[in-house]
């Protein structure tokens, strides 16, 4: 998120987490504090002169808040309902300011792409589905895990 913020000149980020996951909220807040202590968030990140902070927002957990405009409505304290577009969030989003929304999985790919290049990332996966994909297995399985797969091209 810091890399994306630097690229667009943003100084504030939000992580939207459903309130019914208190352990996740606790761990996110701990990770934010640890990142601040390490100089990776806050003022003058790693001596770069760039300031960026992140805040965890606990949402009501409505499924509809997976839609970007509904998520922004929820963060603003309104009922999480989608709004018509235009205006698009990149023009007028959260608090009527330009807003970029991405999921954690998208942000997790950015450092790999920067380090290894776009061609490298595109070489992973299939012709129509590049890169890696996160998926989870839960329920009646022997080992409940979260996987990051690299699909093999056929």
């Amino acid at each position: 998120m810091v890399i994306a913020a630097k690229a667009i000149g943003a100084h504030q980020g939000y992580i939207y987490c459903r309130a019914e996951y208190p352990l996740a909220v606790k761990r996110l807040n701990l990770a934010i504090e640890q990142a601040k202590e390490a100089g990776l968030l806050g003022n003058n990140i790693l001596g770069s002169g760039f300031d960026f902070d992140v805040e965890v927002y606990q949402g009501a957990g409505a499924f509809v808040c997976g839609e970007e405009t509904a998520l922004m409505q929820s963060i603003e304290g309104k009922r999480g309902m989608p709004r018509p577009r235009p205006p698009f969030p990149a023009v007028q989003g959260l608090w009527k300011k330009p807003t970029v929304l991405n999921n954690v999985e998208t942000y997790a790919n950015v450092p790999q792409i920067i380090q290894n290049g776009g061609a490298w990332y595109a070489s992973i996966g299939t012709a129509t589905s590049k890169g890696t994909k996160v998926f989870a297995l839960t329920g009646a399985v022997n080992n409940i895990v979260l996987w990051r797969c690299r699909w093999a091209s056929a």
Side-chain angles (χ1 to χ4, degrees):
M1 191 184 292
V2 174
I3 294 168
K6 176 70 172 159
I8 64 171
H11 298 284
Q12 181 64 43
Y14 299 90
I15 298 173
Y16 189 90
C17 187
R18 292 169 54 165
E20 61 262 29
Y21 299 124
L23 181 58
V25 170
K26 180 180 177 180
R27 289 181 176 168
L28 283 166
N29 282 317
L30 176 61
I32 289 169
E33 287 307 312
Q34 289 172 340
K36 287 179 181 179
E37 290 170 8
L40 301 171
L41 281 176
N43 295 325
N44 195 24
I45 295 172
L46 297 176
S48 68
F50 180 66
D51 303 336
F52 183 72
D53 214 344
V54 175
E55 178 182 330
V56 176
Y57 181 86
Q58 295 182 55
F63 179 77
V64 72
C65 288
E67 193 278 333
E68 64 184 6
T69 62
L71 183 140
M72 290 185 297
Q73 294 277 88
S74 179
I75 290 174
E76 290 176 346
K78 302 171 189 166
R79 185 174 179 206
M81 295 293 293
R83 67 165 171 78
R85 288 170 269 192
F88 292 95
V91 175
Q92 184 179 354
L94 197 56
W95 293 294
K96 301 194 184 289
K97 296 180 180 179
T99 302
V100 174
L101 289 100
N102 280 293
N103 62 38
V104 172
E105 182 176 8
T106 299
Y107 285 135
N109 287 314
V110 173
Q112 294 178 69
I113 295 168
I114 290 172
Q115 183 175 2
N116 299 304
W120 169 83
Y121 188 77
S123 74
I124 301 170
T126 67
T128 58
S129 183
K130 307 292 184 192
T132 61
K133 181 67 184 156
V134 172
F135 69 95
L137 298 175
T138 62
V141 295
N142 288 336
N143 296 302
I144 298 172
V145 296
L146 183 65
W147 294 88
R148 184 169 187 92
C149 282
R150 295 179 182 216
W151 302 107
S153 297

